Amino acid sequence: MPCQNRNQHSNVGTRHVREIMAAEDNKSRYQSDWLKDIHKGAALSFLGPGIVEILDALPFYVMLIDKNHRILLVNKATREALKLEPQDIIGEYCPRVVHGIENGAYPGCPLEEAVEKKCSVQREHFDVKSSRWLRIAIYPTGTWSADGEEIFFHMVEDITDKKDLMAALEESKEIYRKLFEGSSRHEKE
């Protein structure tokens, strides 16, 4: 019985999704134009509609990149930080577009390690240029670009405020520890 209800609802859901997709054709066309940027080897049309909205909802920087640091997709936070449009980012070499590095990788980037070990890599990194702490992560997706390169999910989150709070907490703990030790010694005397 539950399966029959599910099937009935899925037909209605499918029709509703089609109506939404048709109503947002201009928005989807914008996305699909840069999701199918084949001349740069960055065709990601298999991701389907809605993926950009999902990634755009994330407040930190998100990219899909290949093992050669080629940018395949970026979210809104990344586009706004770089002050670039998708067509100026997609297919480009990440270290050059994001960090201004012509050759080689950004010193904190874990991509090479993720490619070599074939696993996710996360690390905290202090960016000297911005004086910010970053949590940088690379996750293999198990998918490949149109030209056969493995795709990785790359996210960068500014954790400076969290690091500052943790440092302040540790400092407070140390002050209280010294006060407690001092009062314990004083009571023993």
Side-chain angles (χ1 to χ4, degrees):
M1 191 79 149
C3 291
Q4 290 175 345
N5 289 338
R6 187 180 304 146
N7 289 337
Q8 290 171 353
H9 291 297
S10 73
N11 289 339
V12 172
T14 303
R15 186 172 56 243
H16 182 66
V17 168
R18 286 185 189 138
E19 290 169 3
I20 290 171
M21 287 173 60
E24 295 187 358
D25 189 44
N26 288 337
K27 189 175 185 181
S28 295
R29 193 168 294 137
Y30 169 74
Q31 290 176 8
S32 67
D33 286 349
W34 57 281
L35 288 175
K36 295 178 182 175
D37 206 345
I38 294 172
H39 72 281
K40 293 183 178 179
L44 297 173
S45 57
F46 66 89
L47 293 173
I51 189 67
V52 175
E53 283 89 357
I54 292 167
L55 296 178
D56 281 350
L58 299 172
F60 43 84
Y61 308 144
V62 173
M63 290 188 269
L64 292 180
I65 59 174
D66 69 16
K67 70 176 187 170
N68 300 310
H69 297 268
R70 183 181 52 187
I71 300 170
L72 305 173
L73 184 79
V74 292
N75 74 337
K76 182 179 178 180
T78 307
R79 295 189 307 268
E80 288 177 351
L82 296 174
K83 298 178 181 157
L84 294 171
E85 293 297 317
Q87 62 272 17
D88 301 322
I89 304 170
I90 304 305
E92 297 299 322
Y93 184 61
C94 180
R96 180 177 41 253
V97 172
V98 177
H99 306 289
I101 300 171
E102 286 300 319
N103 296 309
Y106 175 72
C109 183
L111 179 61
E112 282 80 18
E113 185 179 346
V115 170
E116 181 183 324
K117 293 182 177 180
K118 299 184 183 334
C119 66
S120 301
V121 178
Q122 299 178 41
R123 65 173 56 122
E124 292 181 356
H125 173 75
F126 184 74
D127 181 54
V128 177
K129 184 176 177 182
S130 67
S131 296
R132 308 294 290 174
W133 277 100
L134 307 172
R135 178 176 293 121
I136 303 172
I138 299 280
Y139 305 96
T141 66
T143 58
W144 286 262
S145 64
D147 58 351
E149 296 293 342
E150 187 173 5
I151 298 172
F152 295 84
F153 182 85
H154 182 19
M155 74 142 248
V156 179
E157 181 181 13
D158 186 335
I159 59 168
T160 304
D161 292 341
K162 292 176 188 175
K163 293 288 269 188
D164 290 346
L165 285 171
M166 291 303 292
L169 179 61
E170 288 300 316
E171 187 177 316
S172 294
K173 285 169 62 176
E174 184 63 21
I175 290 169
Y176 282 116
R177 185 185 62 75
K178 288 178 181 178
L179 286 171
F180 179 74
E181 286 175 356
S183 69
S184 293
R185 268 189 254 143
H186 185 348
E187 289 176 4
K188 290 179 183 178
E189 296 174 357

